[in-house]
Amino acid sequence: MSFSIEVAGEVSPLSVQELYRTLTAAASTDPQQIQRGTQQLQYWERQAGFHVLLQSLFSDTSLPTEVRHLCIIQLKNGIDKYWRKTATSTISKDEKDIIRSRCLDSGLQEPDHRLALQNALVISKIVRFEYPHDWPDAINSIVSQLRFASLSTASALRLSCALLILLEVMKEVSTARIQRTRTSLQSAASEVLQVLGRIYVDKVQTWMNFLNHGGDDEGGALESIEQSLLAARALRRLLIAGWDSPNRESQFQNIWNILNSHFDEMLSLINSKSPSLHSSIQHLIEQHLRQISKLHLNMSKLHPAGFALLPDTPKLVLAYWSLIDQFGETLGSEATTELAGRTGNGTDSDNNNTTIIEFLSLKGLLLLRACVKMVFNPMQTFKYQQASDKEEKTQAKDLVKTTVLSERFVRTMMEFLVTRFFVFQPRDLKEWEEEPEEWERREEGEGDVWEFSVRSCSEKLFLDLMINFKSILLQPLLHVFDSVANTQNTDILLKDSIYSAIGLSAPVLEPTFDFNSFLTSTLGHEIQVNGHGYNILRRRAAIVLGQWLPVKDGLDRPLVYQIFQHLLDKRDPLNDQVVRVTAGKQLKNIIDPFEFTVEPFIPYAATILGHLMALIREVELEDTKMALLNTISVIVVRMETHITPFADQIISLLPPLWDQAGEEYLMKQSILGILSALMTSLKESSSRYQGLVLPLVHSSIEPNSQTRIYLLEDAMDLWSTVLSQTSVPISSELFALAQDLFPMFTSASDTLRKALEITDFYICLAPEAMLASVNLILTPLVPLLPTLKREAIGATLSIIELLVQCSIQAGGLDAMRQLLAHFVFLGADGEGAAFLPTAISVLSSAHVAHQTTGPNRRPSPLDPLAETNYLTILARLVLASPSLFLEAAQASLNSNAFDVDSNMDISFTMSWLLDEWFTHMDSISHPEHKKLSCLAITSFLQIGSDWILGRLQELMSLWAEIVAELYDEQDRKEDCLVWKEDGIAGPETGVEMRRREMAHNDPVHQIDLKDFVRENLQQAIAANGGNETFQARWIVDVDQDVLKEFGKLEII
């Protein structure tokens, strides 16, 4: 069935008739017709002429509305997808010209609001793409239509449609980030404002006259108020984006004054509560007020200097405070009455809808915050473009500080915020009881949620005032606190608001306020009171403790732990879900600070962890579960090995949560995180939980799974933690997981770093097994080396060095011979690349680059650290067996796997390689790496070839330098890097033990450099005819000063 539909769709020719028939099918209610029509439209949308035909059908008002609606929706979506010049199957220029030329006319007489809105959106999207480059007169054309539509001879419908189009266009261009678009808008802003402002004023006067004086044209008044609202919405965006310095423009100041005047008049109309004011009219007037208040706030944030210097700005800000005061007066008494009269079922009068007075009060609070920022955070608030801007900034700052933020007004604000807006309202108390978990989540208010809540915004403003007016507000706040904070005072809501203020201002009050005394004498007692409403104070106690402990030293922590143990106890009826969830979240702030010590917490750990885990099982919201899991994770980390007795309880909690999470990957990330923390704290004891952990890791990293997209990073962190804490030998299940690791090497992604870390652990823990899989490691990694960044190159080469170390220490020369075979021939068949040819090639390129100087100097393909890493790997191979290394190098030269000339003999290669190696020695900063290279170069004396014996002068200089570093102290007779003991310091994980053993057996820590030089030099002398012959042939060419310095080493 689906096949026949698809074929039918593909062969249907595009025409007006076929398009109309298809649109009719797609707009029907028959599922088969909808499927057929949708498939056909998807096929046609890439064909030339499709979007022009859509617009033609939309413009035909005789067609059914649903067909026209689908037309304009398809056209809008097509513009999004295909209008860009870079888009696949882009709309041609000729089609764009046709669509652009007809879009205005097709929407100016549209009676259906849905269709008019969609057409306006089409125009705005075209303007977004084409203004001002390809459609420079777009705004002027719209303004011309608007001017004509505003004439008395034009229809009211035309004006409404024109205003709607302008509004949608303003939304697009006012938010444009391209400077050219913003500049073009600003050049047209004056003309737009002239026309739009006149329409707005005329329409407001029309409907205000009707409301104030009456009349017969009620329909005309309703039409006028709708049109003035459209104009106000467009004006708001124009005024914000159209001028950089609005205070300098008289035209702007005029409309600003008009808007402010209308704001007062409209607010008076609303407050009059006239019975003749119909609810629909009142709603539209309130929408005007919302638009003007948004303009005020946006102006204060985006043009702070201009806002402050506009006429009567201080008066405007203080007028908002009057609204805030008016709204606040209705709050405190209502809440107190509500708390006293609650029976647990709430009141029918509660209303969750935000009233206009509350909305304006919130904007006023935000406006006051903006004023505080103007004065005390000018660098983040003001943007300077020229000297006059800096001068205006200073004027604005001084004006706001002196006329708005006076000491008296600041005190009034602080007291009012605390005693009115911090107080819970009836709807808060009702929601607390009806939807406790959801209410608690909203109250936490992460991100910018505070901008939409009066109480949350009040808290932000209060903290701004306390920080910036500390000297003024500190004593008044403490005075109010002293009068309230006692066990005899039973005004719970007032106490809650005062305690909230004390908690918020903890960083400010910390030097002067005796919080410990308050904790022991008052707060500790109040959380035990079982009176009505004291659950509010219990919740507040948890929050305040979470705010104070991170900033205050010397608090009675055992008492704090007792308080949280009590607050988390479900058996107490006052510890409702809100109290317990809040305590569970705030406990993180108690445990997490650096000053935390585990011993005082241990007596309470079992009870608290039990309560937390029971609470996780009780709550339903994923966000709440994750927050509580985060608290447990912090406890696990901070308790370290002391968490062991509770590990089984915590682990038993997680599998059901994992299953319940389903596709809630944030929850699964939290579970993986807490498992990682638990594995770290348990150390070697964590091995017994691998049966649970390893399947979770495997399921989270499966290739091509949806789970991998969200959980890969967290799963790899857990995987790495398990390996770092496991003992040896590792389990077969843990090693089997390594098979999931190798595919992660195929790209230089962010995952590679963690994958290399895990590979490092596996090689340490199971060297023989990993060496058996060395081809799976090298095949993907070696080709990546030229593309990796510095850190990734270092990590990759460290893995290869570790493989070399393990092969030599575990299997000797036989294992090294096998590894060298992989180094030379892996990738020789043309797939991938072999490591040793790659290393010789890149070192050769570095050597050639280092020979160039001046204007012709070529950059080296290797930075110094990467070159050190390459040479360190070669050094380990050479030191283990110089002859095997030379065989492998010759085999690499004979292969075609790298860019070096394959006819190059080994002598030539060793000549330039030693040139580069000696030159690079000064760039090797790590003493162990430097000694290793010195040992490797010295071991070449065993070969006895001219290319090494001819460098005795360089060798002797190198020996003198390294010996001087290693035998620096006068009384030291031995190499300082030679270890006599293995350095066991205490309990070790498997990785730590392996690393210690490898370091102890490292030739760098086993071989005395002087002895090694002596042994190899004597062997070279004997192999070359004895002292006299060696002296005559090789020593004679060494500089006498170098020989003298070498003689001081007393090696020979």
Side-chain angles (χ1 to χ4, degrees):
M1 186 62 152
S2 61
F3 177 79
S4 63
I5 290 174
E6 182 177 352
V7 171
E10 290 181 358
V11 299
S12 298
L14 177 62
S15 65
V16 175
Q17 293 79 11
E18 284 294 328
L19 180 57
Y20 174 71
R21 189 177 297 111
T22 302
L23 288 165
T24 303
S28 70
T29 57
D30 182 7
Q32 289 188 347
Q33 290 193 51
I34 293 173
Q35 182 186 22
R36 187 181 299 112
T38 301
Q39 289 179 349
Q40 183 63 76
L41 291 173
Q42 290 173 348
Y43 175 74
W44 279 336
E45 68 181 10
R46 294 179 176 85
Q47 290 193 13
F50 173 69
H51 296 93
V52 170
L53 290 179
L54 284 175
Q55 190 182 41
S56 298
L57 290 176
F58 169 74
S59 301
D60 187 349
T61 56
S62 65
L63 299 180
T65 300
E66 292 307 316
V67 172
R68 296 181 63 219
H69 187 248
L70 186 55
C71 280
I72 197 66
I73 292 292
Q74 288 285 323
L75 179 58
K76 182 185 70 173
N77 294 340
I79 290 171
D80 267 336
K81 293 167 65 175
Y82 304 115
W83 196 274
R84 291 180 179 87
K85 296 175 182 178
T86 57
T88 305
S89 305
T90 183
I91 299 173
S92 68
K93 184 179 183 302
D94 292 340
E95 285 184 79
K96 289 180 180 179
D97 290 341
I98 296 172
I99 293 170
R100 193 169 52 231
S101 65
R102 301 191 305 191
C103 61
L104 280 176
D105 291 335
S106 62
L108 284 172
Q109 293 288 355
E110 178 55 60
D112 189 302
H113 178 73
R114 287 189 311 158
L115 301 182
L117 175 60
Q118 293 302 322
N119 187 73
L121 290 172
V122 165
I123 297 171
S124 69
K125 290 180 182 298
I126 296 174
V127 171
R128 180 184 66 187
F129 289 126
E130 305 228 327
Y131 180 77
H133 187 268
D134 296 313
W135 195 4
D137 63 338
I139 293 180
N140 289 336
S141 298
I142 297 171
V143 171
S144 296
Q145 293 290 348
L146 191 63
R147 185 182 288 110
F148 175 77
S150 65
L151 299 176
S152 58
T153 55
S155 67
L157 176 61
R158 188 180 188 90
L159 178 58
S160 296
C161 291
L163 287 169
L164 183 60
I165 291 171
L166 180 63
L167 170 61
E168 297 304 325
V169 169
M170 282 294 112
K171 286 181 181 179
E172 287 289 349
V173 296
S174 64
T175 56
R177 296 184 178 182
I178 301 175
Q179 184 59 38
R180 182 174 181 179
T181 302
R182 297 181 65 85
T183 302
S184 298
L185 173 62
Q186 290 176 353
S187 65
S190 180
E191 181 183 359
V192 178
L193 180 58
Q194 183 180 4
V195 177
L196 185 61
R198 178 173 53 79
I199 293 172
Y200 167 78
V201 171
D202 289 346
K203 296 303 175 182
V204 170
Q205 287 178 347
T206 299
W207 62 260
M208 274 198 171
N209 285 335
F210 177 83
L211 293 178
N212 291 327
H213 306 294
D216 299 329
D217 192 6
E218 183 177 351
L222 181 60
E223 199 170 64
S224 294
I225 196 170
E226 291 172 345
Q227 291 172 341
S228 67
L229 179 58
L230 285 171
R233 293 171 65 192
L235 271 175
R236 175 168 70 85
R237 292 166 172 85
L238 174 67
L239 294 175
I240 293 298
W243 288 268
D244 285 331
S245 301
N247 57 297
R248 303 174 189 173
E249 305 293 333
S250 59
Q251 186 184 20
F252 186 101
Q253 292 182 22
N254 290 336
I255 193 67
W256 178 262
N257 290 333
I258 291 171
L259 287 168
N260 289 345
S261 174
H262 286 173
F263 186 82
D264 292 339
E265 294 177 28
M266 293 177 194
L267 190 59
S268 298
L269 276 173
I270 296 297
N271 289 333
S272 68
K273 298 181 180 179
S274 171
S276 62
L277 197 62
H278 193 272
S279 59
S280 60
I281 298 295
Q282 178 172 327
H283 175 72
L284 289 170
I285 297 175
E286 289 177 357
Q287 291 301 311
H288 282 75
L289 291 170
R290 291 172 188 263
Q291 291 299 316
I292 299 174
S293 67
K294 288 180 181 180
L295 171 64
H296 293 154
L297 182 59
N298 291 341
M299 192 65 66
S300 69
K301 290 181 176 180
L302 300 176
H303 302 290
F307 171 76
L309 297 177
L310 281 167
D312 296 329
T313 289
K315 180 181 176 182
L316 174 66
V317 175
L318 295 177
Y320 269 103
W321 179 252
S322 298
L323 288 173
I324 295 169
D325 181 71
Q326 177 185 341
F327 177 61
E329 290 297 331
T330 66
L331 298 183
S333 59
E334 289 183 8
T336 303
T337 303
E338 175 71 9
L339 179 64
R342 292 194 74 78
T343 61
N345 297 318
T347 60
D348 295 334
S349 61
D350 289 340
N351 184 5
N352 288 329
N353 296 323
T354 302
T355 62
I356 186 62
I357 187 67
E358 181 176 355
F359 178 87
L360 297 178
S361 297
L362 176 58
K363 295 304 176 187
L365 293 170
L366 293 168
L367 193 63
L368 286 164
R369 275 208 86 196
C371 290
V372 175
K373 288 183 178 293
M374 285 183 209
V375 176
F376 295 101
N377 300 96
M379 294 302 294
Q380 287 77 31
T381 305
F382 295 96
K383 297 177 182 178
Y384 305 139
Q385 293 179 338
Q386 48 193 350
S388 58
D389 296 329
K390 189 172 183 179
E391 182 180 348
E392 285 186 351
K393 169 257 175 181
T394 303
Q395 294 175 2
K397 178 180 173 181
D398 293 342
L399 178 66
V400 171
K401 190 172 184 178
T402 55
T403 60
V404 177
L405 300 178
S406 63
E407 291 188 10
R408 181 178 178 182
F409 181 58
V410 166
R411 285 197 196 94
T412 301
M413 272 199 293
M414 186 275 288
E415 294 173 1
F416 192 88
L417 292 175
V418 173
T419 58
R420 295 295 179 181
F421 288 161
F422 282 18
V423 178
F424 283 127
Q425 302 310 308
R427 68 182 179 195
D428 296 315
L429 300 175
K430 180 181 180 182
E431 290 171 3
W432 179 321
E433 293 187 0
E434 293 180 348
E435 298 179 341
E437 196 177 341
E438 183 65 38
W439 181 86
E440 191 282 332
R441 185 187 64 82
R442 287 198 304 270
E443 282 298 303
E444 194 175 24
E446 296 181 357
D448 293 332
V449 177
W450 61 269
E451 293 187 353
F452 306 99
S453 164
V454 168
R455 185 167 65 254
S456 299
C457 184
S458 298
E459 292 174 352
K460 294 287 186 181
L461 177 57
F462 167 79
L463 187 55
D464 288 344
L465 295 176
M466 288 301 301
I467 291 172
N468 296 300
F469 295 96
K470 177 180 177 180
S471 59
I472 301 173
L473 301 179
L474 189 60
Q475 290 306 316
L477 177 61
L478 292 178
H479 177 72
V480 174
F481 172 80
D482 290 338
S483 66
V484 170
N486 58 76
T487 55
Q488 290 75 37
N489 189 334
T490 58
D491 189 343
I492 293 172
L493 292 180
L494 179 59
K495 271 190 175 183
D496 179 76
S497 64
I498 300 298
Y499 291 177
S500 175
I502 294 298
L504 288 169
S505 56
V508 179
L509 295 178
E510 185 271 330
T512 56
F513 179 59
D514 187 358
F515 184 80
N516 203 42
S517 175
F518 166 60
L519 172 64
T520 55
S521 65
T522 305
L523 198 60
H525 294 288
E526 287 183 330
I527 60 103
Q528 301 177 58
V529 177
N530 289 318
H532 178 62
Y534 271 83
N535 56 333
I536 295 174
L537 286 187
R538 292 189 180 191
R539 171 185 175 272
R540 182 59 59 190
I543 296 173
V544 171
L545 289 171
Q547 292 166 325
W548 269 90
L549 255 76
V551 301
K552 186 70 172 179
D553 294 331
L555 294 181
D556 187 347
R557 282 187 170 269
L559 174 58
V560 173
Y561 301 146
Q562 290 178 42
I563 289 174
F564 275 88
Q565 181 178 262
H566 174 66
L567 295 178
L568 288 166
D569 189 353
K570 186 179 181 179
R571 293 172 298 178
D572 190 323
L574 279 183
N575 293 335
D576 58 24
Q577 194 176 77
V578 170
V579 172
R580 287 180 287 119
V581 169
T582 302
K585 290 181 177 181
Q586 291 299 324
L587 184 61
K588 173 182 175 291
N589 298 326
I590 306 300
I591 305 297
D592 205 23
F594 178 77
E595 297 79 12
F596 173 84
T597 54
V598 69
E599 287 75 15
F601 181 69
I602 289 176
Y604 311 97
T607 306
I608 287 177
L609 283 169
H611 289 329
L612 284 173
M613 287 185 279
L615 185 57
I616 289 174
R617 295 186 182 98
E618 175 187 335
V619 297
E620 297 178 356
L621 293 179
E622 296 295 327
D623 289 346
T624 307
K625 289 179 184 287
M626 287 189 292
L628 296 173
L629 274 177
N630 190 30
T631 298
I632 293 179
S633 181
V634 170
I635 293 174
V636 168
V637 172
R638 302 298 279 147
M639 289 189 70
E640 298 180 334
T641 55
H642 297 282
I643 199 65
T644 303
F646 317 107
D648 287 345
Q649 286 179 274
I650 298 172
I651 289 291
S652 66
L653 173 73
L654 301 180
L657 289 177
W658 183 274
D659 294 336
Q660 294 168 15
E663 296 185 358
E664 292 289 340
Y665 295 111
L666 287 176
M667 169 60 77
K668 290 187 173 181
Q669 287 174 358
S670 297
I671 293 172
L672 293 175
I674 195 172
L675 281 172
S676 184
L678 196 58
M679 297 299 105
T680 301
S681 295
L682 292 175
K683 298 189 180 300
E684 65 276 1
S685 301
S686 64
S687 298
R688 61 194 178 102
Y689 298 113
Q690 288 182 9
L692 167 69
V693 171
L694 298 183
L696 295 183
V697 173
H698 175 70
S699 66
S700 301
I701 63 176
E702 285 184 302
N704 304 320
S705 69
Q706 188 76 6
T707 305
R708 179 188 175 98
I709 298 173
Y710 301 100
L711 301 182
L712 179 61
E713 183 177 345
D714 298 276
M716 292 188 74
D717 285 338
L718 175 57
W719 190 2
S720 175
T721 302
V722 170
L723 287 167
S724 68
Q725 301 300 329
T726 196
S727 55
V728 290
I730 65 173
S731 65
S732 58
E733 293 81 7
L734 181 55
F735 183 74
L737 199 59
Q739 300 305 312
D740 294 327
L741 182 66
F742 303 130
M744 298 180 187
F745 297 149
T746 56
S747 63
S749 65
D750 294 337
T751 309
L752 181 61
R753 179 189 62 81
K754 183 59 72 172
L756 292 172
E757 179 184 293
I758 293 172
T759 305
D760 181 286
F761 289 155
Y762 269 116
I763 296 173
C764 287
L765 293 167
E768 294 86 356
M770 292 300 287
L771 285 168
S773 305
V774 69
N775 61 317
L776 297 176
I777 300 174
L778 295 177
T779 300
L781 280 183
V782 174
L784 284 180
L785 284 171
T787 66
L788 297 177
K789 295 181 180 179
R790 176 177 176 177
E791 290 183 5
I793 290 176
T796 304
L797 294 176
S798 295
I799 293 295
I800 298 174
E801 181 189 356
L802 188 59
L803 288 170
V804 173
Q805 278 187 279
C806 289
S807 68
I808 296 170
Q809 292 188 13
L813 293 182
D814 290 339
M816 175 181 164
R817 185 176 285 107
Q818 294 179 13
L819 183 63
L820 279 172
H822 289 289
F823 277 8
V824 174
F825 298 111
L826 191 67
D829 57 357
E831 295 185 9
F835 172 71
L836 194 56
T838 299
I840 295 175
S841 176
V842 74
L843 287 170
S844 174
S845 299
H847 175 69
V848 171
H850 291 152
Q851 308 311 305
T852 59
T853 58
N856 298 321
R857 182 179 181 183
R858 291 164 52 183
S860 171
L862 294 176
D863 64 46
L865 187 58
E867 185 167 350
T868 297
N869 291 331
Y870 273 107
L871 292 173
T872 299
I873 296 171
L874 299 190
R876 291 199 179 279
L877 294 170
V878 171
L879 184 57
S881 175
S883 58
L884 278 180
F885 171 78
L886 292 174
E887 289 177 17
Q890 184 63 66
S892 298
L893 295 174
N894 294 336
S895 71
N896 59 358
F898 67 113
D899 295 335
V900 177
D901 185 357
S902 59
N903 296 319
M904 195 181 303
D905 62 31
I906 193 65
S907 297
F908 180 81
T909 299
M910 293 309 301
S911 177
W912 68 255
L913 179 58
L914 287 172
D915 278 343
E916 184 66 19
W917 210 330
F918 278 116
T919 303
H920 186 72
M921 288 298 291
D922 289 336
S923 299
I924 302 177
S925 58
H926 200 294
E928 294 182 355
H929 291 164
K930 203 164 191 176
K931 178 183 176 180
L932 180 63
S933 285
C934 181
L935 291 172
I937 296 174
T938 302
S939 69
F940 279 129
L941 289 173
Q942 300 170 22
I943 304 300
S945 296
D946 291 359
W947 47 262
I948 185 63
L949 294 175
R951 295 178 177 273
L952 278 177
Q953 178 167 313
E954 292 168 279
L955 276 168
M956 289 181 178
S957 297
L958 178 62
W959 294 332
E961 177 188 347
I962 304 301
V963 167
E965 293 179 7
L966 300 183
Y967 298 76
D968 190 34
E969 298 180 17
Q970 295 296 325
D971 59 347
R972 183 181 288 276
K973 302 297 184 182
E974 298 176 346
D975 188 331
C976 69
L977 289 180
V978 174
W979 295 350
K980 298 300 183 184
E981 300 177 356
D982 61 5
I984 299 178
E988 297 176 305
T989 64
V991 171
E992 291 168 344
M993 183 188 74
R994 294 293 197 192
R995 290 199 195 283
R996 176 182 53 77
E997 291 175 350
M998 291 177 64
H1000 182 70
N1001 295 324
D1002 193 327
V1004 172
H1005 301 304
Q1006 289 290 317
I1007 298 175
D1008 185 285
L1009 180 60
K1010 280 187 179 183
D1011 293 342
F1012 189 78
V1013 171
R1014 183 183 299 111
E1015 178 183 340
N1016 280 271
L1017 190 55
Q1018 287 176 344
Q1019 181 180 339
I1021 292 172
N1024 284 272
N1027 286 332
E1028 292 184 5
T1029 303
F1030 193 79
Q1031 178 81 23
R1033 184 173 180 186
W1034 302 110
I1035 301 295
V1036 68
D1037 294 328
V1038 180
D1039 184 85
Q1040 291 300 310
D1041 290 336
V1042 174
L1043 278 174
K1044 182 178 179 181
E1045 290 300 318
F1046 176 70
K1048 293 179 181 179
L1049 302 180
E1050 300 179 352
I1051 292 177
I1052 296 181

